[in-house]
Each structure stands twice: as C-alpha cells, then as structure tokens.
Amino acid sequence: MSRNRTLGTLATVVGFLAFVEFTSGVLQGYYTPMLSDIARNLGIHDADVNWLEGAQLMLSALVVPAFAKLGDMVGHKRMLLISTAITAAAALVLPFTDSFTVFLAAWALMGFYVVWLPLEIALIWSRSRRMEGRSSITAKAAGLLVAALEGGAIIGALVGGALIDVLPLTVVLLIPALLIVVCFFVILFGVTESPDPVGGLFDTIGLILISLALVCFTGGLSLLRLEGGLVNPWSWAVVVFGLLLVIPFVLWELRCKDPLIDVRMFRSPALGPVFLTAGLFGVSVLGAQAPLSTFARTDPDMYGYGLGTGGFATSLIIGGYLIAMIVGALSFATAARLATPRFTLMGASVLVGIGFLMFLPFHDTYAQVVTNMVIVGLGSGALVAALPAAAASAAPATQTGVATGLTNSVKTVGGAIASCVFGIALLQGVASTAAGSEGTAGSLAGYFTVWVVCGATAIVAAIILVFVPKTAFTDRLVDAEVTPVI
C-alpha cells in the first residue's frame, strides 16, 4: 500500500512536470516555421537567424550549471519557478519590438527554459530514492517528459506555421508568452519540492570562472562570423583565450570543498562519455534547427535548390520529425531493458548519423526530406530522454542536478559551436537569384556542410559509447542506495 501511494504521488508530480515540458516543446517548435518571417521583420539575412540561436545557446550554457547546482542546494522546484518567470518576462518582450538588438537580448533570455528538463529529472530521481528499480523509473519518467515536450513542439510547430500565414507577427509571438505565464502557476501550485536539499555554500568563484570561459569562447565564435572574422587573428585569440580559461576553473573546482561542478565526474568511465555524447548530439539537435527550416523555405525556382514550402508546409516537416522523436523517447526505456542503456544510446546515435548523411544524396523532394528527418527524429528522441536519465543514474548522490544539468550544458555548448560554424558556412558563397542578383538565402554548399557535420558527429558519439561499461546506467549500479519502502 505504501509503495502504491509513493508511486501515485510520483506519477502526479510527473503529470504536472509533463505540462512544463509541453510548454518547453511549444517554445522549441512554435518559432521554427516563422524564422524567415522574423528575419524579414527585423531586416536581417537568413544566415543571421543563427545569431538568435547562438545567443540563446550561449546564455543557456551559462545558466544551466548555476541553476542545476542551486537546485541540488535549495530545491529543484524553486529553481524551476525562477527560470520560468525569467522565460515568461523575456517572451513578453518579443511581440513588441522590431529592433534586432532588443529582440536578440530577449530571445537569449528565453534560453532559461533549457534548465527545466534537467531540474525535472533530478527532482524525479530525488523523489524515487526509496523505490526499487530507481533507474528504470527515472528512464520511464524521462521518456514521458520528452514525449510531452515533443508533443508540445508538434502542436507548437503546426499552430505556429498555420498562424504565421494568417495573423500579424505581433499576435503570433504573444501566444507562447501567455502559455509560459500559465506554466508558472502550474509549477507553483502543482509541483511539490524535492526532499532533502543538500544545502551548502554556492561556488560563486567557480561560476565566475566558467562564465568568463564560456563568454570568451562563444563570443570568439561570434567574432569569427563577422565579415573578415575568419582571417582576423583577434577573433581566434578570443576563442583560444576562452579555452585557456577552463584551466583555472578546473584547478579551482578540484580544490573547492563544495564545487559548482565536480569535474572529477568527467573522468568517470560512465559519465565522461555521456557528457561528450551530449556535446556531439547538441551539434545536430540544436545547431541544425534553423538551417533545416530555412532550407525548406528556400524557393528552388529562384535559387536552384530548396523546397519552397510555406509556413504550414514547413511545420508539417517539423511535425513528422517530432512525432518520430516521441516514438524514440517512449521506446527508450523498453529498448534499454531488452538490450542495455549503453547499446540503446549507441543505436540512437547511429540513427541520427544515418538520417543526416542521407541528406547528401536525398534532399530534392518533400518526401526525401521528411524521410530523413523521421530517421533523425527516432534517434534524437531516444537521446533527449536517455542522456539526463543516464547521468542521474551514474552521478554521485549530491550531484544529481549538476550531472543532469551538465548533459544540457555540454549539449548547449555543442549547439553554440555548430550554430557559429553553420552560420559561417551558409554565409560563404551566398546564393544568387535566377536573375543574377544576390539573394538572402544561404549557399547550397553551406547546407551540405551542415548535413556532413551533423552526421559525422553522431557517428563519432556512437563510437565513443562503445567504451562505456556494459552495465552502466542500470539499477545494478545504484542498488546500494535503495532502501525498502516501509
């Protein structure tokens, strides 16, 4: 009876958190079909859409470590509320500005939503600490949350794609902002706090050091995208300086009694490959979103390539991809039980790689693009659910939020790097119109670069996972922490 009551309470928490992830999904899918419209409204080039993505990814990389650590210290629900409030305030700015600078700043602040999923996984892991099959329970919950996320993304993409064709942009941008406000109250009244926060002192010095490193590194990447940036030695110097700043951060964390990030986790035979896989996965799942949307919207009669789809037709492509992600996310727990979590992660990475590499010969028709994206979606859905759950099962008890957050942070860094690289690739040799004048679309060679990089990084991730222990991420590794429910 007690076990059923405990499971029922956890199921209720997962249900409310599923709405939070539904909202997160809406944010991730809603804007994608209208990126070209946003670019036209702001008076920017298609390739400059990557500035929006890159800025949001950079800020996300900064906030996730801090919020994940604070979640472990003071409570995961509390940090969910704060991040949701910031996201809502930023989203309410977007409909009322046509300034690229203001829009860019607000769009970046919306990146606080990326901390929701790792905080939720950490909360579920914390609340299931007295249950048998803790890893399996967390994996199933993660699958449900990701399914809600992708369901929201599907609805967001379909609704966003349909509305942008019939309503003013201001009205269209206001809708998701109001949904985030509702999400705040769902968390406030529906989600209970995780038990037994670990407390401790916040590692402010560590946060400053890693923030400086990330700002310099991602800022240097942005400088590389400016005209002449690739041949400017100062741009490369800023990138290198950002990388070098990681050294004092690591040295400080090794000395700190309560570090922001326990960098020793990167040496773990189970966690290290997971973090690296997350970074490689971020290249495709985050960095390739804008290029895929703009490729579909490019007029083949004018530029000689692309699909020339409208907003709604583009959203249907995204919808097929997201449905495949739901299938992949919900299948992860079953596949992991039949094989092992490690083999499931490897298979998911291979699917992502195959799907993107299929773009090289098959990208001329609507059906070909949809087929490729379904294959990518199956693997991506499994990875989105698997990576934070795997990190939670392999992390030290006091670092659950940090470990799950790190999968997002490293994934975000990978996406930020890819966003910069893809922006540069699309800007080189900008496509011209059939009439011979310069257009606003990216270059076909740039899109080939996107597909090759995304496919190659996914295959590399699968190879890295070969070296993870066979029993990693299973209950056999955490049974010692499980106490019977009385």
Side-chain angles (χ1 to χ4, degrees):
M1 181 69 69
S2 178
R3 175 178 171 80
N4 290 337
R5 189 184 306 116
T6 304
L7 286 171
T9 302
L10 183 62
T12 301
V13 172
V14 173
F16 284 113
L17 293 179
F19 181 82
V20 179
E21 282 310 302
F22 174 84
T23 304
S24 174
V26 170
L27 296 181
Q28 295 180 49
Y30 188 85
Y31 299 102
T32 307
M34 61 188 75
L35 288 176
S36 293
D37 302 273
I38 290 173
R40 299 292 86 77
N41 183 65
L42 297 175
I44 61 174
H45 189 285
D46 271 356
D48 289 332
V49 170
N50 282 277
W51 280 100
L52 299 176
E53 192 172 48
Q56 190 174 95
L57 292 175
M58 180 178 70
L59 184 121
S60 300
L62 297 177
V63 302
V64 170
F67 273 58
K69 179 63 176 179
L70 288 169
D72 285 336
M73 291 175 57
V74 303
H76 302 107
K77 174 186 173 178
R78 181 176 298 181
M79 303 316 299
L80 270 174
L81 280 172
I82 294 173
S83 61
T84 304
I86 296 172
T87 305
L92 286 168
V93 172
L94 299 184
F96 305 109
T97 182
D98 57 3
S99 164
F100 177 61
T101 302
V102 175
F103 195 97
L104 180 64
W107 188 276
L109 287 172
M110 282 181 61
F112 272 82
Y113 78 84
V114 301
V115 79
W116 293 351
L117 183 60
L119 284 174
E120 291 158 7
I121 298 297
L123 190 151
I124 292 168
W125 178 260
S126 176
R127 295 187 65 84
S128 64
R129 71 193 188 284
R130 295 183 180 275
M131 299 180 188
E132 294 181 16
R134 190 181 187 189
S135 294
S136 177
I137 290 171
T138 303
K140 290 178 182 177
L144 291 172
L145 292 179
V146 173
L149 184 155
E150 303 307 341
I154 291 171
I155 294 175
L158 294 176
V159 171
L163 293 181
I164 195 61
D165 290 337
V166 296
L167 292 177
L169 185 61
T170 298
V171 176
V172 175
L173 292 177
L174 184 62
I175 294 173
L178 298 178
L179 180 61
I180 303 170
V181 174
V182 174
C183 182
F184 175 87
F185 290 102
V186 168
I187 298 171
L188 181 63
F189 297 112
V191 178
T192 53
E193 186 60 272
S194 52
D196 304 325
V198 300
L201 296 175
F202 187 72
D203 181 15
T204 305
I205 294 178
L207 178 62
I208 293 173
L209 290 173
I210 192 61
S211 297
L212 288 173
L214 288 171
V215 167
C216 287
F217 178 68
T218 54
L221 292 176
S222 298
L223 292 175
L224 291 174
R225 293 184 54 188
L226 299 176
E227 185 175 353
L230 285 174
V231 296
N232 187 339
W234 288 107
S235 301
W236 290 103
V238 175
V239 172
V240 173
F241 184 62
L243 291 173
L244 291 176
L245 283 175
V246 175
I247 297 175
F249 167 74
V250 171
L251 294 176
W252 171 259
E253 296 298 275
L254 289 173
R255 293 173 50 195
C256 186
K257 292 182 179 180
D258 192 7
L260 176 73
I261 298 172
D262 186 353
V263 295
R264 295 175 182 85
M265 290 192 294
F266 285 90
R267 297 202 300 250
S268 164
L271 281 173
V274 167
F275 295 147
L276 188 52
T277 297
L280 294 171
F281 177 50
V283 170
S284 60
V285 77
L286 298 177
Q289 287 183 0
L292 288 171
S293 175
T294 55
F295 177 83
R297 296 294 297 270
T298 300
D299 186 351
D301 294 329
M302 182 175 294
Y303 296 101
Y305 65 89
L307 302 180
T309 56
F312 185 67
T314 302
S315 70
L316 291 178
I317 298 176
I318 299 167
Y321 165 67
L322 296 176
I323 290 173
M325 285 191 74
I326 291 177
V327 174
L330 292 177
S331 301
F332 162 67
T334 301
R337 186 174 65 252
L338 295 176
T340 64
R342 181 179 72 118
F343 278 118
T344 306
L345 283 165
M346 290 168 59
S349 297
V350 169
L351 282 175
V352 174
I354 291 174
F356 274 109
L357 294 177
M358 284 179 61
F359 271 102
L360 299 179
F362 306 118
H363 58 266
D364 295 321
T365 68
Y366 195 85
Q368 289 175 349
V369 171
V370 170
T371 300
N372 299 344
M373 291 310 299
V374 166
I375 295 173
V376 171
L378 289 171
S380 297
L383 286 172
V384 171
L387 289 170
S393 67
T398 60
Q399 295 282 320
T400 305
V402 173
T404 56
L406 275 175
T407 61
N408 257 33
S409 294
V410 178
K411 181 173 69 177
T412 300
V413 171
I417 295 172
S419 180
C420 172
V421 172
F422 296 161
I424 293 171
L426 291 173
L427 205 53
Q428 302 302 309
V430 173
S432 299
T433 65
S437 61
E438 186 178 286
T440 59
S443 65
L444 180 58
Y447 287 111
F448 272 96
T449 300
V450 172
W451 300 328
V452 169
V453 171
C454 289
T457 50
I459 297 300
V460 170
I463 295 172
I464 290 170
L465 290 166
V466 171
F467 301 99
V468 172
K470 293 181 179 179
T471 58
F473 325 126
T474 64
D475 290 321
R476 277 170 286 181
L477 295 184
V478 295
D479 281 343
E481 299 178 16
V482 177
T483 46
V485 177
I486 301 175

